[in-house]
Amino acid sequence: MDQTLPAAATTTDLATEVAPLARRYKRANGPVIRLVNRLGGTLEHQLSALPQGVRNQLEKLTAQALEASYGIASRAPDIGTRAPMVAAVAAGAAGGAGGLATAVAELPVTVTLFLNTIRSVAREAGLDPDEDWVRAECLQVFAAGSPLAQDDGVNTSFIASRLALTGSTAQNLIRTIAPRLAAVMGQKLAAQAVPVIGAVSGAALNAAFLSYYREIARVRFELVKLGRIHGAEAVEAEFRIAVTPPRVIRA
C-alpha cells in the first residue's frame, strides 16, 4: 500500500514544525537589544568613537580571529553547556578591564568560545562537527542575521550546502562572514573601550552574544534535520515565509 502523504498534509506538517523555530529565531536577539538599551545610547554611535586605525583594521582582525578559532576548534574538547558562558563572561570582563588594548587582545579568545559553543550545538543535534559541511554550517551561524538589530536583512539560507571545505574555500567563507561579525565585535570593542566600566559591559555583551549565537545555531541545525525529511528547498522556503513580517496593506 502506498504510504506517501498527500502534498497538502506534508506542507501542513512542515509549517507546523518550522513555526516554533521561526519564533525562536525572531526572539534570539531580544536579550541583546534589552542590554544595549540598558547600556544607553546605541553601540553604532559608540563605534564611531574608536580610533580610525582600529576601525580600519577591524575586519582584518576579525577574519584573523575566525581563521585562528577555526583551526583550533577541531582540537578543542567539548566543555559542556555552562563552562562556555562562564569563560565568555570572564573573557569579556578581562578584555574590558584595560580598555581598548585588552579588548582587542581578547577578540580571538571570544570568537573561539563562540565557535566552540556552536560546534557543541551541532553535536547535540546529532551532527559531527568535524565533518567538512558541518564545519561550514558552524561558520555560517555568524552570518545569520545580527544580534544588534531587529531587522538586519537576515540571512534565511539555513540549509546545508554540503560544501566540500578545502583550505581555500574555508578562507573564502571566512572572508565572506568576517564583515558581519566585525560589525558586532567592533561595537563590543566600543563598549569595552573605557577601562573598568568596559569590564562590566564586556562581560554582559559576551554573555548576550554567546546566548544569541547558541540560539541561532540551535535553529539552524534543527532546520538542517528537517531538510533531510522534507527536502532542503522546501524547508528553506517555509522558513523564509515564517520569518518575513506580514505586509501592511493600507486602504
PDB file of all heavy atoms in Angstrom, residues 184-197:
ATOM      1  N   VAL A 184      29.659  43.369  14.648  1.00  0.00           N
ATOM      2  CA  VAL A 184      29.253  43.012  16.008  1.00  0.00           C
ATOM      3  C   VAL A 184      30.411  43.195  16.977  1.00  0.00           C
ATOM      4  O   VAL A 184      30.275  43.810  18.039  1.00  0.00           O
ATOM      5  CB  VAL A 184      28.747  41.549  16.049  1.00  0.00           C
ATOM      6  CG1 VAL A 184      28.425  41.127  17.479  1.00  0.00           C
ATOM      7  CG2 VAL A 184      27.518  41.389  15.158  1.00  0.00           C
ATOM      8  N   MET A 185      31.576  42.666  16.612  1.00  0.00           N
ATOM      9  CA  MET A 185      32.733  42.737  17.501  1.00  0.00           C
ATOM     10  C   MET A 185      33.210  44.182  17.687  1.00  0.00           C
ATOM     11  O   MET A 185      33.661  44.567  18.757  1.00  0.00           O
ATOM     12  CB  MET A 185      33.878  41.885  16.949  1.00  0.00           C
ATOM     13  CG  MET A 185      33.616  40.379  16.946  1.00  0.00           C
ATOM     14  SD  MET A 185      33.460  39.666  18.598  1.00  0.00           S
ATOM     15  CE  MET A 185      31.678  39.494  18.723  1.00  0.00           C
ATOM     16  N   GLY A 186      33.084  44.992  16.631  1.00  0.00           N
ATOM     17  CA  GLY A 186      33.506  46.387  16.734  1.00  0.00           C
ATOM     18  C   GLY A 186      32.671  47.151  17.740  1.00  0.00           C
ATOM     19  O   GLY A 186      33.187  47.962  18.523  1.00  0.00           O
ATOM     20  N   GLN A 187      31.387  46.905  17.737  1.00  0.00           N
ATOM     21  CA  GLN A 187      30.514  47.589  18.680  1.00  0.00           C
ATOM     22  C   GLN A 187      30.747  47.094  20.103  1.00  0.00           C
ATOM     23  O   GLN A 187      30.614  47.847  21.072  1.00  0.00           O
ATOM     24  CB  GLN A 187      29.064  47.428  18.231  1.00  0.00           C
ATOM     25  CG  GLN A 187      28.814  48.192  16.938  1.00  0.00           C
ATOM     26  CD  GLN A 187      27.535  47.790  16.236  1.00  0.00           C
ATOM     27  OE1 GLN A 187      26.589  47.363  16.866  1.00  0.00           O
ATOM     28  NE2 GLN A 187      27.518  47.932  14.924  1.00  0.00           N
ATOM     29  N   LYS A 188      31.143  45.843  20.238  1.00  0.00           N
ATOM     30  CA  LYS A 188      31.528  45.325  21.551  1.00  0.00           C
ATOM     31  C   LYS A 188      32.815  45.999  22.031  1.00  0.00           C
ATOM     32  O   LYS A 188      32.936  46.394  23.198  1.00  0.00           O
ATOM     33  CB  LYS A 188      31.715  43.806  21.488  1.00  0.00           C
ATOM     34  CG  LYS A 188      31.956  43.160  22.854  1.00  0.00           C
ATOM     35  CD  LYS A 188      32.051  41.655  22.724  1.00  0.00           C
ATOM     36  CE  LYS A 188      33.450  41.210  22.382  1.00  0.00           C
ATOM     37  NZ  LYS A 188      34.352  41.296  23.568  1.00  0.00           N
ATOM     38  N   LEU A 189      33.776  46.141  21.113  1.00  0.00           N
ATOM     39  CA  LEU A 189      35.023  46.818  21.474  1.00  0.00           C
ATOM     40  C   LEU A 189      34.756  48.251  21.932  1.00  0.00           C
ATOM     41  O   LEU A 189      35.383  48.751  22.871  1.00  0.00           O
ATOM     42  CB  LEU A 189      35.989  46.837  20.288  1.00  0.00           C
ATOM     43  CG  LEU A 189      36.624  45.517  19.859  1.00  0.00           C
ATOM     44  CD1 LEU A 189      37.551  45.753  18.673  1.00  0.00           C
ATOM     45  CD2 LEU A 189      37.387  44.876  20.993  1.00  0.00           C
ATOM     46  N   ALA A 190      33.826  48.903  21.265  1.00  0.00           N
ATOM     47  CA  ALA A 190      33.497  50.279  21.639  1.00  0.00           C
ATOM     48  C   ALA A 190      32.965  50.341  23.057  1.00  0.00           C
ATOM     49  O   ALA A 190      33.299  51.258  23.826  1.00  0.00           O
ATOM     50  CB  ALA A 190      32.474  50.850  20.660  1.00  0.00           C
ATOM     51  N   ALA A 191      32.131  49.365  23.423  1.00  0.00           N
ATOM     52  CA  ALA A 191      31.580  49.346  24.779  1.00  0.00           C
ATOM     53  C   ALA A 191      32.642  49.017  25.818  1.00  0.00           C
ATOM     54  O   ALA A 191      32.510  49.386  26.986  1.00  0.00           O
ATOM     55  CB  ALA A 191      30.444  48.327  24.855  1.00  0.00           C
ATOM     56  N   GLN A 192      33.705  48.318  25.396  1.00  0.00           N
ATOM     57  CA  GLN A 192      34.768  47.926  26.319  1.00  0.00           C
ATOM     58  C   GLN A 192      35.890  48.961  26.405  1.00  0.00           C
ATOM     59  O   GLN A 192      36.812  48.788  27.197  1.00  0.00           O
ATOM     60  CB  GLN A 192      35.388  46.590  25.878  1.00  0.00           C
ATOM     61  CG  GLN A 192      34.473  45.381  26.033  1.00  0.00           C
ATOM     62  CD  GLN A 192      35.137  44.127  25.480  1.00  0.00           C
ATOM     63  OE1 GLN A 192      35.319  44.013  24.269  1.00  0.00           O
ATOM     64  NE2 GLN A 192      35.502  43.215  26.353  1.00  0.00           N
ATOM     65  N   ALA A 193      35.823  49.994  25.596  1.00  0.00           N
ATOM     66  CA  ALA A 193      36.964  50.901  25.451  1.00  0.00           C
ATOM     67  C   ALA A 193      37.271  51.710  26.703  1.00  0.00           C
ATOM     68  O   ALA A 193      38.385  52.196  26.865  1.00  0.00           O
ATOM     69  CB  ALA A 193      36.728  51.843  24.269  1.00  0.00           C
ATOM     70  N   VAL A 194      36.287  51.859  27.600  1.00  0.00           N
ATOM     71  CA  VAL A 194      36.516  52.605  28.836  1.00  0.00           C
ATOM     72  C   VAL A 194      36.931  51.622  29.921  1.00  0.00           C
ATOM     73  O   VAL A 194      36.149  50.743  30.280  1.00  0.00           O
ATOM     74  CB  VAL A 194      35.250  53.362  29.284  1.00  0.00           C
ATOM     75  CG1 VAL A 194      35.523  54.154  30.561  1.00  0.00           C
ATOM     76  CG2 VAL A 194      34.770  54.282  28.173  1.00  0.00           C
ATOM     77  N   PRO A 195      38.162  51.723  30.456  1.00  0.00           N
ATOM     78  CA  PRO A 195      38.615  50.778  31.480  1.00  0.00           C
ATOM     79  C   PRO A 195      37.661  50.714  32.675  1.00  0.00           C
ATOM     80  O   PRO A 195      37.011  51.696  33.025  1.00  0.00           O
ATOM     81  CB  PRO A 195      39.984  51.339  31.893  1.00  0.00           C
ATOM     82  CG  PRO A 195      40.440  52.129  30.717  1.00  0.00           C
ATOM     83  CD  PRO A 195      39.192  52.721  30.123  1.00  0.00           C
ATOM     84  N   VAL A 196      37.591  49.544  33.288  1.00  0.00           N
ATOM     85  CA  VAL A 196      36.760  49.239  34.452  1.00  0.00           C
ATOM     86  C   VAL A 196      35.289  49.164  34.058  1.00  0.00           C
ATOM     87  O   VAL A 196      34.664  48.105  34.157  1.00  0.00           O
ATOM     88  CB  VAL A 196      36.963  50.246  35.610  1.00  0.00           C
ATOM     89  CG1 VAL A 196      36.119  49.810  36.811  1.00  0.00           C
ATOM     90  CG2 VAL A 196      38.434  50.322  35.999  1.00  0.00           C
ATOM     91  N   ILE A 197      34.712  50.290  33.601  1.00  0.00           N
ATOM     92  CA  ILE A 197      33.322  50.242  33.134  1.00  0.00           C
ATOM     93  C   ILE A 197      33.211  49.279  31.952  1.00  0.00           C
ATOM     94  O   ILE A 197      32.244  48.532  31.815  1.00  0.00           O
ATOM     95  CB  ILE A 197      32.836  51.646  32.727  1.00  0.00           C
ATOM     96  CG1 ILE A 197      32.833  52.575  33.940  1.00  0.00           C
ATOM     97  CG2 ILE A 197      31.447  51.584  32.104  1.00  0.00           C
ATOM     98  CD1 ILE A 197      32.486  53.997  33.613  1.00  0.00           C
TER      99      ILE A 197
END
